[in-house]
Amino acid sequence: MKNRPHFRPNPYYEDLERMEEAVMSILHNLEMENTEIHENNHKLQKEITFSRNLLSQLLMENTCRKKLFPLKQESKEVHLDCALNQKYLVDFNKKDKDQQRPDPASSGLRKCKRAGIGHTPVRELPEE
């Protein structure tokens, strides 16, 4: 070993190696930051898309509600009309059944009519 000449390293070369290490460290940090920013950007794009879709859905729902309100009012009126008609039909059927029941007095009148005696009972019309 003593026979080998001692080579002293070049101080500029050592400075360049230290500078290269610093630059490579900075480059690595920038790449990591770039990756993180890219991921955050992707998440933000998803949120923006979701918000736009949500806004569109809310606007559509609001429009549907505005169109649905008059239909609900009309539906309530139709249901009320149907209920009144049904009540009227029930009352009408009850009156009709009451009039169709044979009364002992009216059956006697019919027998008398056949014989030519008495008068015919007048049927009542339903009230409106």
Side-chain angles (χ1 to χ4, degrees):
M1 276 206 204
K2 289 184 180 182
N3 293 341
R4 286 173 56 186
H6 178 67
F7 290 102
R8 187 171 170 217
N10 188 346
Y12 296 115
Y13 182 76
E14 290 175 357
D15 287 343
L16 280 174
E17 281 185 340
R18 277 186 253 129
M19 287 177 67
E20 181 188 19
E21 286 177 13
V23 168
M24 293 304 283
S25 175
I26 292 171
L27 178 64
H28 176 72
N29 291 341
L30 288 174
E31 286 175 347
M32 295 301 290
E33 190 176 328
N34 186 25
T35 304
E36 184 179 332
I37 289 172
H38 181 71
E39 289 172 358
N40 287 341
N41 186 24
H42 186 68
K43 288 179 185 176
L44 289 174
Q45 286 296 330
K46 282 184 176 180
E47 287 183 25
I48 289 170
T49 304
F50 175 77
S51 298
R52 285 181 182 160
N53 289 340
L54 183 62
L55 178 63
S56 296
Q57 288 176 354
L58 290 173
L59 290 173
M60 182 64 78
E61 185 177 331
N62 193 17
T63 303
C64 289
R65 282 186 182 170
K66 286 180 181 178
K67 289 180 180 180
L68 188 62
F69 182 74
L71 294 175
K72 281 185 177 180
Q73 292 297 328
E74 186 178 327
S75 176
K76 287 178 183 177
E77 292 171 4
V78 168
H79 283 297
L80 182 63
D81 288 344
C82 286
L84 290 174
N85 287 338
Q86 188 175 11
K87 184 180 181 311
Y88 174 75
L89 287 173
V90 168
D91 292 343
F92 182 75
N93 284 337
K94 283 181 183 178
K95 286 180 183 179
D96 192 40
K97 285 180 183 177
D98 289 342
Q99 289 177 357
Q100 288 180 1
R101 288 187 188 149
D103 289 336
S106 66
S107 64
L109 286 175
R110 286 187 189 144
K111 288 179 185 175
C112 291
K113 183 164 186 195
R114 287 184 193 154
I117 308 168
H119 67 280
T120 309
V122 179
R123 187 174 184 183
E124 293 179 7
L125 294 175
E127 296 177 14
E128 292 183 12

